[in-house]
Amino acid sequence: MICKILVVDDSATDLFIIKNMLKDFLCLSARDGEEALEMLRYDPDIHLVILDLNMPKMNGFEVLEILNSDSYFKHIRVIILTNAEDVEDEIKGLQMGAVDFIRKPINLNALKTRIDVHKKLLELQHDTEDANKILDRKIAEATKALVITRDITIQALVGLIEVRNLESYNHIMRTQEMMSLLCNHLKGKKKFKNVLTDEYIQELVKTSALHDIGKVAISDSILLKPGKLTDDEFNQMKKHVDYGVIALKKELPEGEEVPSFIKRALEIIEFHHEKYDGTGYPKGLKGENIPLPGRLMAIIDVFDALINERVYKKAYTVEESVKIIKENIGKHFDPDVATGFLEIVPQICTINTLYTQR
């Protein structure tokens, strides 16, 4: 790394002396603060400035103030020049961001020693920045690989459902699109704006595809039964929640923190059959004790089931489905979530039409 030095001093004599002392370095000069800033703006290779504080037009303190206020100059180190008696100016300059000081009259050995020290520090900083860039790139590549692996895993798990014809591919796509639409609508509400961040929404959309993954453990005689389930059959059906949670938790390292993505998936799987009034399953949670992912998935899953034909029922009309949702606000559904959902029913129906006709 070439260290280009800018010496700023209104004294031609001092400039000559300093430049002569630094003849082994690539050295430029400016006679005042304005000229110095002009050179710094157009020469990004200047990394070290030797700055006199007492100058006309623009003094050293004004230059320091501008350098500190503009991130463009963050790579620049400043060594201030002070007279032996100007201790207060020396302290002020250091407080304003200068990294060192040199007193006049200038001692050749002291000057060269300080320049060498700061040159090495600049080289170390430069090497660290390069290393950080390489590390950032590797982290980005590793993160991308993890995301791809995660998405492939989800699709493989969903594929288990498709193979058994338990839920259609269209149902998975509809519920994911509905989750995205609902979350992005709710984040405009005061109650949810600080919760539903873009990252959180992305996790909810991706993991919503897994909400019924536990049904792979339920027998076809129950899942594909065209009529009403018996009490015993319904109890067996309810176990799909536990099966899904167990499957997801099985390979988690014991005692380690669960990644946020897995947390979202578990909350959706475990709590999407809970009801706001506490009459749902598997835990009978009530109100906002039900994690938000479960409350969101509950209304999406029910509405999709209502407006689409299933093996055990014909499809309800949109009007009939909306009526059922309204009747169950505060019972099955979170009032705030349900109110927001009803505001976007036309868009929900568009999604339903799009992924039903495929």
Side-chain angles (χ1 to χ4, degrees), residues 154-166:
I154 288 176
Q155 291 306 314
L157 289 171
V158 171
L160 293 174
I161 297 178
E162 292 182 62
V163 168
R164 291 192 63 202
N165 292 318
L166 305 184

Side-chain angles (χ1 to χ4, degrees), residues 276-289:
Y276 199 76
D277 63 3
T279 61
Y281 67 89
K283 295 187 176 181
L285 298 181
K286 189 174 183 179
E288 295 189 7
N289 287 324

Side-chain angles (χ1 to χ4, degrees), residues 214-246:
K215 284 185 177 179
V216 297
I218 304 299
S219 68
D220 288 349
S221 62
I222 293 176
L223 285 170
L224 305 179
K225 183 177 179 179
K228 184 178 179 181
L229 299 178
T230 65
D231 290 344
D232 184 60
E233 289 170 336
F234 183 61
N235 287 330
Q236 290 297 314
M237 173 68 86
K238 289 195 294 186
K239 289 182 180 179
H240 79 275
V241 171
D242 296 325
Y243 295 146
V245 171
I246 291 169

Side-chain angles (χ1 to χ4, degrees), residues 47-190:
H47 289 85
L48 189 59
V49 176
I50 298 175
L51 177 66
D52 187 26
L53 293 177
N54 300 309
M55 297 182 294
K57 286 191 178 180
M58 180 183 288
N59 64 39
F61 296 119
E62 292 172 307
V63 173
L64 281 170
E65 188 173 356
I66 291 173
L67 294 181
N68 286 331
S69 64
D70 192 334
S71 61
Y72 179 78
F73 300 119
K74 65 182 180 180
H75 65 288
I76 294 173
R77 288 173 171 263
V78 178
I79 299 174
I80 57 175
L81 289 173
T82 66
N83 292 313
E85 66 274 12
D86 293 337
V87 177
E88 290 186 4
D89 285 351
E90 177 185 305
I91 294 172
K92 182 179 178 182
L94 292 171
Q95 289 174 337
M96 293 183 68
V99 296
D100 205 347
F101 64 89
I102 299 172
R103 288 197 176 97
K104 296 180 181 180
I106 300 170
N107 178 278
L108 175 61
N109 289 330
L111 177 61
K112 282 192 172 183
T113 299
R114 279 177 159 79
I115 296 297
D116 284 337
V117 168
H118 288 290
K119 182 175 181 292
K120 289 176 181 177
L121 288 172
L122 282 167
E123 290 172 346
L124 180 60
Q125 178 181 333
H126 183 77
D127 291 344
T128 301
E129 288 173 352
D130 285 347
N132 285 338
K133 287 178 182 177
I134 293 172
L135 181 60
D136 288 342
R137 185 169 66 250
K138 288 182 177 180
I139 290 173
E141 290 171 354
T143 301
K144 183 178 180 180
L146 284 173
V147 170
I148 292 172
T149 302
R150 179 197 71 190
D151 291 349
I152 290 173
T153 302
I154 288 176
Q155 291 306 314
L157 289 171
V158 171
L160 293 174
I161 297 178
E162 292 182 62
V163 168
R164 291 192 63 202
N165 292 318
L166 305 184
E167 300 283 357
S168 70
Y169 173 78
N170 287 341
H171 168 71
I172 300 297
M173 296 303 295
R174 282 195 305 266
T175 53
Q176 284 190 305
E177 290 292 327
M178 289 178 188
M179 179 66 81
S180 177
L181 182 63
L182 178 58
C183 288
N184 281 289
H185 179 67
L186 289 177
K187 77 175 182 180
K189 310 286 186 181
K190 183 178 179 180

